[in-house]
Amino acid sequence: MSTLNPDVLQNGSVKNSDSINDSHELDEYDFSRFVDRPRLLNLERQRSCDERSLNDLPVPFSPHQSSRADNFGRALDNPDSVYSPIKKSGCNTPMSHFGYGMMASDPHPMIAEAWDDLRRALVFFRGQPVGTIAALDNSDEKLNYDQVFVRDFVPSALAFLMNGEPEVVKNFLLKTLRLQGWEKKIDRFQLGEGVMPASFKVLHDPIRNTETLMADFGESAIGRVAPVDSGFWWIILLRAYTKSTGDTSLADKPECQNGIRLILSLCLSEGFDTFPTLLCADGCSMIDRRMGVYGYPIEIQALFFMALRCAMLLLKHDGPGKELIERIVKRLHALTYHMRNYFWLDLKQLNDIYRYKTEEYSHTAVNKFNVMPDSLPDWVMDFMPVHGGYFIGNIGPSHMDFRWFCLGNCIAILSSLATQEQSSAIMDLIESRWEELVGAMPLKVCYPAIENHEWRIVTGSDPKNTRWSYHNGGSWPVLLWLLTAACIKTGRPQIARRAIELAETRLSKDGWPEYYDGKLGRYIGKQARKHQTWSVAGYLVAKMMLEDPSHLGMIAIEEDKHLKPVLRRSSSWTA
């Protein structure tokens, strides 16, 4: 490797470098506050929102799991217990190398292989693990798969938390927080102070004996789009860490409190918006290429909602924190009403749209977005079951994107953006349309694929997003963990078990691909990387949650009755 200047990074900008010789930052990695056993959180500042006990959560299990289900029920009897109990691995010391102690009762042979892959994917900075690379890719053309992506690390982080290994998660949270403070420029334009990186990479300089972090805030991404979802995932992961370990000291750090405020200040600033949703560019989230999701994509709105809910639990009720919480509450009220009313689609709503009148100019308009009934695609009329529904992909002036997006709908369930009735309807839809949404390999990132002339217009003839490939109707195994969490929260673990068993028939044998192609997901993706880390981690998290559903607590939030709006159409979303 050529000699690197640790103080000068991409675009010639001078950054605050993190080198081995910089001893000031060592304080960030003091783990003396960790205890062997997680303690209960002080609920005084958190009781208003989340973490009501999940007593109402139905947990149907097969007979051989009854003892674990009984333990789960007893754990939920204590409403003050707001952490997911960490369980140390039962094999070897100090942690099982393969980390399947939690599934010691006849574990699937894939589990040991998955843990081995996950541990080999760990990235170290100054001797400390700080994340996992995107893929253990042995090809010459690595592109950016050798970097640590914020969104990609989330399932890895959850796997380590569930296995009682929180150190790497804490390191990751602190390191990305430090990167947030860097000067961020693309060409001559400076990005907002709260923007989190999409990814980072550790650069080793053997000559100067230094290690330097290089962050990407969108300047190297496809289309040069900043990642809107990174900040939301960071807040969600901070809450998961706090919930899992019982350690509030990390979230209480002034720098973490400030990081949350900076992220949300970008989203809560006043402007020309007439909706409480966030206006976004194409390619700003998991779907990071042009796919016609610009505007108000469901993935970003659901993550935004969940990040707001998590932030209310993490922020201190001091001066700046109290003011921000008040703004969050107002936004949540408006966002909840808007999403549950205008993004929700079921058979009745679809029929209403089919009968819409247009050009309504008064405050009493029913067709508030002036959507043309003739714009209804033929496929959605047949796709919608009698019992079922989902949050559509996007809505704006004279525009409704009726595509199904898995991540946004699962996050809507986990964050309680969806009502209990809506959550059940989403599960009904998945069961009714199993062939379309799951097929031969779970799960479709979106449905259906766009093709022919529409594909040329929407994607710009993108050769990677051809029909039923990659983000255009491809099947992504990483989504297993989100589906499993949503299934457990809605009392439908049998759906998740069926999907996992389906994945187990091929996932390991095929080398843990990034995604699958084809209408049914039968073919390894034409450009899919093998040993994709989040495919591995997603499988592990799904298995661990099924084995011990109390882990759901670190990633799910129960509905806050104080935020529940009356589901009544009005002339304004602020009603």
Side-chain angles (χ1 to χ4, degrees):
M1 183 181 292
S2 60
T3 302
L4 299 172
N5 183 343
D7 297 321
V8 180
L9 299 180
Q10 64 271 39
N11 297 331
S13 302
V14 178
K15 306 282 189 181
N16 296 322
S17 66
D18 294 284
S19 71
I20 271 184
N21 300 321
D22 181 6
S23 61
H24 175 71
E25 197 188 43
L26 286 174
D27 292 339
E28 289 186 359
Y29 298 99
D30 179 11
F31 297 104
S32 61
R33 296 183 181 183
F34 276 84
V35 291
D36 292 333
R37 189 179 174 196
R39 60 182 174 82
L40 296 181
L41 296 181
N42 182 350
L43 292 182
E44 185 174 355
R45 67 180 172 87
Q46 305 194 86
R47 196 178 295 277
S48 64
C49 217
D50 167 39
E51 329 304 2
R52 296 170 173 80
S53 73
L54 302 175
N55 284 329
D56 296 330
L57 180 65
V59 189
F61 290 96
S62 57
H64 71 273
Q65 293 174 304
S66 59
S67 61
R68 192 170 294 276
D70 292 342
N71 291 336
F72 182 39
R74 284 195 292 271
L76 296 179
D77 287 339
N78 179 7
D80 293 331
S81 178
V82 296
Y83 64 87
S84 296
I86 288 178
K87 297 186 179 180
K88 301 294 185 182
S89 173
C91 307
N92 301 330
T93 57
M95 261 318 149
S96 165
H97 175 67
F98 294 116
Y100 54 82
M102 278 186 266
M103 287 163 284
S105 56
D106 194 23
H108 195 282
M110 283 174 57
I111 294 170
E113 179 190 344
W115 272 111
D116 187 47
D117 268 14
L118 186 60
R119 295 190 190 284
R120 289 194 298 118
L122 282 168
V123 173
F124 291 82
F125 177 73
R126 200 182 293 162
Q128 297 279 3
V130 293
T132 50
I133 58 173
L136 292 166
D137 182 26
N138 295 321
S139 65
D140 293 332
E141 189 182 11
K142 287 184 171 53
L143 298 177
N144 57 357
Y145 285 83
D146 60 347
Q147 298 185 23
V148 179
F149 281 82
V150 172
R151 76 176 67 93
D152 290 39
F153 180 65
V154 171
S156 297
L158 294 176
F160 284 120
L161 287 174
M162 291 177 186
N163 200 48
E165 302 177 70
E167 291 83 0
V168 62
V169 184
K170 182 176 184 180
N171 293 347
F172 171 86
L173 290 167
L174 288 172
K175 189 54 59 182
T176 46
L177 182 64
R178 186 175 179 89
L179 295 175
Q180 183 195 41
W182 281 7
E183 180 185 24
K184 301 176 277 285
K185 279 189 175 181
I186 298 181
D187 293 332
R188 299 184 179 183
F189 182 74
Q190 186 161 327
L191 277 68
E193 191 177 1
V195 174
M196 279 287 186
S199 63
F200 65 86
K201 184 177 181 178
V202 178
L203 299 178
H204 304 272
D205 185 350
I207 297 176
R208 304 179 70 172
N209 193 29
T210 60
E211 288 184 329
T212 305
L213 290 180
M214 177 182 288
D216 176 18
F217 293 92
E219 64 266 44
S220 301
I222 299 293
R224 304 301 184 266
V225 179
V228 176
D229 63 337
S230 287
F232 300 151
W233 280 123
W234 187 89
I235 293 174
I236 293 166
L237 188 55
L238 177 60
R239 182 257 178 183
Y241 169 88
T242 304
K243 184 86 169 2
S244 173
T245 64
D247 175 21
T248 61
S249 63
L250 178 61
D252 287 344
K253 282 177 175 285
E255 55 265 39
C256 284
Q257 292 287 307
N258 186 56
I260 296 171
R261 290 195 295 267
L262 288 175
I263 292 169
L264 295 185
S265 293
L266 289 173
C267 310
L268 298 175
S269 58
E270 296 179 353
F272 292 98
D273 297 312
T274 55
F275 310 134
T277 41
L278 286 181
L279 182 62
C280 304
D282 234 334
C284 66
S285 58
M286 175 185 175
I287 298 178
D288 58 0
R289 302 168 74 91
R290 182 175 162 191
M291 267 292 292
V293 296
Y294 58 86
Y296 306 93
I298 179 59
E299 177 178 336
I300 292 298
Q301 313 315 321
L303 286 171
F304 179 35
F305 181 90
M306 190 165 191
L308 291 175
R309 293 286 312 275
C310 290
M312 288 185 64
L313 305 168
L314 298 169
L315 286 168
K316 292 182 177 180
H317 288 225
D318 54 12
K322 183 179 180 181
E323 180 184 353
L324 184 57
I325 288 173
E326 292 174 354
R327 294 171 64 192
I328 290 173
V329 171
K330 291 180 180 178
R331 188 61 164 263
L332 281 171
H333 274 290
L335 186 60
T336 303
Y337 178 86
H338 185 90
M339 297 298 297
R340 290 178 179 178
N341 277 273
Y342 302 123
F343 272 71
W344 181 252
L345 187 72
D346 54 21
L347 191 62
K348 180 183 181 304
Q349 180 64 11
L350 182 60
N351 203 159
D352 289 345
I353 296 171
Y354 178 73
R355 291 167 52 83
Y356 267 169
K357 295 179 180 179
T358 60
E359 310 301 327
E360 296 179 293
Y361 288 96
S362 71
H363 290 290
T364 60
V366 175
N367 184 2
K368 294 184 182 298
F369 298 93
N370 199 35
V371 175
M372 307 299 165
D374 287 344
S375 68
L376 277 169
D378 292 337
W379 66 265
V380 76
M381 308 298 284
D382 298 323
F383 178 72
M384 183 62 68
V386 175
H387 301 290
Y390 64 102
F391 290 96
I392 62 173
N394 214 320
I395 187 167
S398 296
H399 169 65
M400 295 182 82
D401 183 351
F402 291 95
R403 285 177 294 176
W404 151 272
F405 289 87
C406 179
L407 193 151
N409 276 274
C410 287
I411 291 293
I413 292 174
L414 296 177
S415 63
S416 292
L417 170 59
T419 64
Q420 290 185 4
E421 294 78 12
Q422 289 172 336
S423 296
S424 294
I426 293 171
M427 289 294 110
D428 289 340
L429 177 80
I430 293 173
E431 282 195 298
S432 298
R433 298 293 177 257
W434 186 266
E435 191 80 356
E436 292 88 344
L437 302 181
V438 180
M441 175 59 67
L443 276 123
K444 289 296 180 190
V445 64
C446 73
Y447 180 88
I450 52 178
E451 50 189 323
N452 301 326
H453 181 66
E454 185 182 15
W455 166 77
R456 288 189 287 272
I457 297 297
V458 172
T459 73
S461 300
D462 185 354
K464 194 167 186 177
N465 271 329
T466 53
R467 64 177 183 174
W468 306 115
S469 180
Y470 201 53
H471 293 140
N472 187 15
S475 300
W476 291 68
V478 64
L479 297 172
L480 269 174
W481 80 265
L482 284 160
L483 175 69
T484 301
C487 288
I488 294 172
K489 190 170 187 289
T490 55
R492 310 262 194 109
Q494 70 280 3
I495 299 178
R497 192 171 294 112
R498 181 183 174 191
I500 291 172
E501 289 173 354
L502 185 62
E504 287 175 338
T505 62
R506 289 192 56 187
L507 202 51
S508 173
K509 182 174 63 177
D510 292 341
W512 305 93
E514 179 184 12
Y515 64 95
Y516 286 78
D517 284 355
K519 197 168 186 178
L520 297 178
R522 294 171 57 197
Y523 307 98
I524 298 173
K526 59 185 175 182
Q527 296 187 40
R529 289 299 198 270
K530 296 291 188 73
H531 297 279
Q532 186 80 10
T533 304
W534 70 355
S535 295
V536 171
Y539 168 74
L540 285 172
V541 172
K543 291 288 282 188
M544 284 191 278
M545 277 194 292
L546 267 187
E547 180 73 8
D548 183 0
S550 67
H551 288 313
L552 176 69
M554 72 173 73
I555 199 63
I557 303 178
E558 288 302 284
E559 185 171 12
D560 183 0
K561 303 302 181 182
H562 298 292
L563 292 174
K564 187 174 183 179
V566 177
L567 288 181
R568 177 177 70 242
R569 300 255 180 195
S570 69
S571 60
S572 169
W573 61 259
T574 56

